[in-house]
Amino acid sequence: MSLAAVVILTGISRGQSSAQTPANNSAQSITDQDIDLLRKDIRSQKKQIIAANLQLTDAEAVKFWPVYDQYTAELVKINDAKYAAIKEYATNYATLSDDQALSLARQTLGVDQSVAQLRLKYVPLFGKVVTGKKTALFFQLDRRLVMLIDLQLASQIPMVQP
């Protein structure tokens, strides 16, 4: 999902913010649902790519996927903060203050730090259910897919204007 999707779905464009009317509040609820659906679709595609590349045996799969689902659930909670920051940035882009910009920078850096801590937490958990090489491959795949998503997001988000 990109900022462009957030912008299109929320009706927010550069230099404009949505008026707070009941109709727009309803549209915002739909927007949040649409964003959730996009995120679920991305997670589904990510899982398919990991399954295709990890080549788990049946015995490994039985043990791996519950750990993966737990990892993904925790990752979703962390990424909620990322998408909240993007949404806040899209809403306030034209009028962003120095304090808001610093707050958003701290939020996004905090997300990065939380994701790294989560990965470190899960290395031994995955290592208990699959080989070390498959654990390393999983984290390579996970990082590459997240980097692709982040690159897509970054290409759509305008730079902060000094």
Side-chain angles (χ1 to χ4, degrees):
M1 184 202 52
S2 66
L3 180 62
V6 173
V7 170
I8 290 167
L9 294 173
T10 61
I12 299 167
S13 63
R14 288 185 186 182
Q16 298 177 343
S17 63
S18 60
Q20 296 301 316
T21 64
N24 283 341
N25 288 339
S26 174
Q28 185 63 39
S29 295
I30 293 167
T31 297
D32 291 342
Q33 290 173 4
D34 289 342
I35 290 169
D36 286 344
L37 287 174
L38 287 169
R39 289 176 68 192
K40 286 177 185 173
D41 186 48
I42 289 169
R43 286 192 299 272
S44 174
Q45 291 175 19
K46 184 178 166 188
K47 190 171 188 175
Q48 290 173 12
I49 292 168
I50 288 170
N53 286 281
L54 211 50
Q55 301 177 357
L56 299 170
T57 66
D58 290 343
E60 288 173 327
V62 167
K63 295 176 185 176
F64 177 85
W65 292 114
V67 177
Y68 175 85
D69 290 339
Q70 183 181 343
Y71 168 80
T72 299
E74 289 187 47
L75 188 59
V76 166
K77 290 178 186 175
I78 294 169
N79 283 333
D80 286 346
K82 178 195 297 187
Y83 292 104
I86 291 168
K87 207 166 154 180
E88 182 181 341
Y89 181 65
T91 302
N92 297 303
Y93 174 79
T95 60
L96 195 65
S97 71
D98 284 337
D99 288 341
Q100 286 173 312
L102 287 173
S103 174
L104 288 169
R106 284 187 194 100
Q107 282 178 284
T108 56
L109 292 170
V111 167
D112 292 344
Q113 186 176 24
S114 295
V115 170
Q117 290 171 345
L118 181 69
R119 287 181 176 138
L120 287 170
K121 171 184 168 182
Y122 272 85
V123 168
L125 299 176
F126 281 112
K128 288 179 183 176
V129 298
V130 293
T131 66
K133 287 183 180 181
K134 286 187 180 180
T135 297
L137 176 58
F138 164 72
F139 281 108
Q140 282 182 316
L141 292 166
D142 182 63
R143 289 190 72 228
R144 285 183 182 191
L145 293 168
V146 169
M147 285 189 285
L148 287 170
I149 294 164
D150 286 348
L151 182 60
Q152 179 65 31
L153 279 170
S155 72
Q156 299 297 318
I157 298 172
M159 302 294 278
V160 173
Q161 298 303 305

